Amino acid sequence: MRFLTGARAIFVLIIIFAIFESPVLGQGTDDAYKVERQKAIDLYNQDKYFEALPLFEDLVKQNPADSQTLVGLASCLVNHSATVQDPDAAAKERLRARDLLLKAKELGNNSNLLQNLLQLLQASDSGKIKYSDNPEADKVFRLAEAAFARRDLTEAIKDYSKALELDPGNYSASLFIGDSYFAEKDFAKAGEWYERTAQIDPNKETAYRYYADMLTKNGEMDKARTKAIQAVIAEPYNPITWRGLQQWATSNKLQLNQVFIKVPNSVTQKDDKNITISVDPSQKNASGAAWMIYSITQAAWRGEEFRKNFPNEKQYRHSLPEETQALTMAAESLTGKDKKKSLKPPDDPNLALLVRIYQAGMIEPYVLLNAADAGIAQDYDSYRGKNRAKLEEYMSTFVVPPAVGKH
């Protein structure tokens, strides 16, 4: 997966994530330091990163334990790296930015901005960025990034468009045209380009997330909710998409629903003939029977059932069909096969949640989006290819509350 760094990363991340809402300084901090720090913050918040950069450099020298100024310096370095035409020198700046962020994290800074920017920078061990396999397009792309970093948006749009012409279907070039229009506050054109970019690769999260951020900033919360959900569906195992969704919820003063069915039993295996089911003795009557059925189903998959369903895989793995069947069998032991049957909710809250999900016909989306492990995740792409709308419906029904004012 190729992430985006440079001026672009800073622009997108500060749409929602403010580094400095108010200075937090210890008692006895030098007044001159406070004044310089506030000036750096003000310049940063005005998008004047080049002017803020030397101030953050000086502040970090004075107080290397101020985690917020470390993040500020790292952000400015990433932005500045886009203007450096020597790839090695630019990579060196990004690697330094990464180290500053790691130090800030050690000091206790765990902001969304730090987490997202660090994830972007850690995507490349060398710090180098390749924008296109077409050398001419890559060259023009770098000019566009430098123009964007200088906030010469007209030039940036021209160069990104040229890069896209030289390398048709380049996801990043299309995306960055949208960002440039957003920076110009031409939100209609920005939205059009984000939509075009999502069509280039609907299974990449970035265009959905950027669009959601723009819509959130503009107060279009219901539409932003849809786009933030679509970002998760595109890449559910990328934590940046969930942080984006949580940021939408925070902007609406909401909390995402924590949907997880805790299973009390466990199944372990030494070989085909030695499969052990460990049972929670506190589970009795119908609840205990339901969880036993779940475990017996899992045990069957450890043997012949997996080989029958995955004949081309030599080694057992936990899979979507196994978990779906096990949860379905447990639910049906309580409801029968009539999903609309009315019954008293089980005393076990985990079984009560399972019945709700089962009756909504959403067990597979639940397993993939809220209960996946490495084995189950392997089944995601093929399921999403046929069931994208159902995955979105699950998120909208069970995980993401309605936007403020929406019922």
Side-chain angles (χ1 to χ4, degrees), residues 28-330:
T29 303
D30 184 79
D31 286 344
Y33 181 86
K34 291 180 181 178
V35 170
E36 185 176 10
R37 188 179 191 272
Q38 189 59 53
K39 184 178 180 181
I41 292 169
D42 291 343
L43 289 168
Y44 185 96
N45 290 337
Q46 295 167 28
D47 300 340
K48 297 179 179 179
Y49 309 117
F50 295 164
E51 295 176 48
L53 177 56
L55 296 179
F56 279 124
E57 286 277 20
D58 186 54
L59 291 164
V60 167
K61 286 179 182 178
Q62 292 183 60
N63 183 8
D66 184 341
S67 71
Q68 288 187 311
T69 58
L70 290 170
V71 175
L73 177 55
S75 301
C76 290
L77 285 171
V78 173
N79 187 75
H80 182 265
S81 70
T83 68
V84 179
Q85 292 303 301
D86 179 352
D88 291 332
K92 187 175 180 180
E93 285 199 351
R94 294 186 196 103
L95 291 175
R96 184 184 173 211
R98 182 192 65 189
D99 292 342
L100 289 165
L101 292 169
L102 289 170
K103 185 174 181 181
K105 187 175 182 180
E106 289 177 4
L107 291 168
N109 191 315
N110 201 35
S111 66
N112 280 330
L113 174 61
L114 181 145
Q115 292 182 66
N116 284 2
L117 188 54
L118 188 58
Q119 183 177 334
L120 299 176
L121 290 169
Q122 288 179 324
S124 170
D125 292 335
S126 68
K128 293 184 178 180
I129 301 173
K130 186 177 183 181
Y131 296 105
S132 173
D133 293 329
N134 180 318
E136 188 61 29
D138 190 76
K139 180 179 178 181
V140 175
F141 210 123
R142 293 178 189 281
L143 294 175
E145 283 285 87
F148 188 92
R150 298 191 306 269
R151 289 301 184 268
D152 185 349
L153 300 174
T154 300
E155 185 67 17
I157 290 171
K158 184 189 79 172
D159 288 338
Y160 287 131
S161 298
K162 179 64 175 176
L164 186 59
E165 180 183 330
L166 291 166
D167 184 7
N170 186 301
Y171 186 95
S172 296
S174 177
L175 180 72
F176 293 174
I177 293 170
D179 281 349
S180 300
Y181 279 119
F182 178 30
E184 282 191 334
K185 302 190 186 312
D186 189 338
F187 304 126
K189 282 190 176 180
E192 289 174 9
W193 277 96
Y194 289 145
E195 292 282 11
R196 288 178 61 172
T197 305
Q199 291 172 15
I200 290 173
D201 187 349
N203 298 329
K204 185 174 286 189
E205 61 87 23
T206 326
Y208 303 113
R209 177 166 51 88
Y210 286 14
Y211 199 0
D213 288 346
M214 184 186 79
L215 292 164
T216 299
K217 185 176 182 182
N218 291 342
E220 298 180 60
M221 293 304 184
D222 196 45
K223 190 173 181 181
R225 177 181 183 271
T226 297
K227 294 302 173 185
I229 288 173
Q230 288 174 343
V232 172
I233 299 309
E235 295 185 37
Y237 310 129
N238 179 353
I240 203 169
T241 64
W242 289 93
R243 288 196 290 267
L245 186 61
Q246 180 58 60
Q247 188 59 41
W248 173 88
T250 300
S251 297
N252 282 267
K253 297 181 171 56
L254 298 169
Q255 283 293 326
L256 300 178
N257 299 317
Q258 302 301 310
V259 184
F260 184 70
I261 298 167
K262 185 177 180 181
V263 178
N265 298 350
S266 64
V267 177
T268 56
Q269 177 180 12
K270 288 185 178 180
D271 52 51
D272 286 354
K273 296 181 179 180
N274 291 278
I275 299 172
T276 302
I277 298 175
S278 299
V279 179
D280 182 349
S282 68
Q283 296 290 326
K284 298 178 180 179
N285 303 324
S287 294
W291 288 128
M292 179 56 72
I293 289 170
Y294 171 91
S295 298
I296 290 171
T297 305
Q298 280 202 322
W301 274 84
R302 297 289 182 118
E304 185 62 30
E305 201 65 27
F306 179 81
R307 289 191 292 270
K308 184 169 65 178
N309 282 268
F310 295 94
N312 295 325
E313 296 189 32
K314 295 181 179 180
Q315 187 172 357
Y316 164 81
R317 65 173 171 87
H318 195 195
S319 67
L320 173 63
E322 173 190 333
E323 190 65 18
T324 298
Q325 186 180 51
L327 290 172
T328 298
M329 296 286 283

Side-chain angles (χ1 to χ4, degrees), residues 346-390:
D347 292 334
D348 180 345
N350 290 290
L351 283 175
L353 175 58
L354 170 58
V355 168
R356 279 182 57 215
I357 293 172
Y358 168 73
Q359 291 183 324
M362 292 289 177
I363 285 185
E364 287 175 312
Y366 160 75
V367 170
L368 289 165
L369 295 172
N370 287 123
D373 55 19
I376 289 171
Q378 294 180 46
D379 298 320
Y380 183 75
D381 287 351
S382 60
Y383 183 86
R384 180 188 53 201
K386 299 177 182 178
N387 299 279
R388 186 180 293 267
K390 189 172 184 179

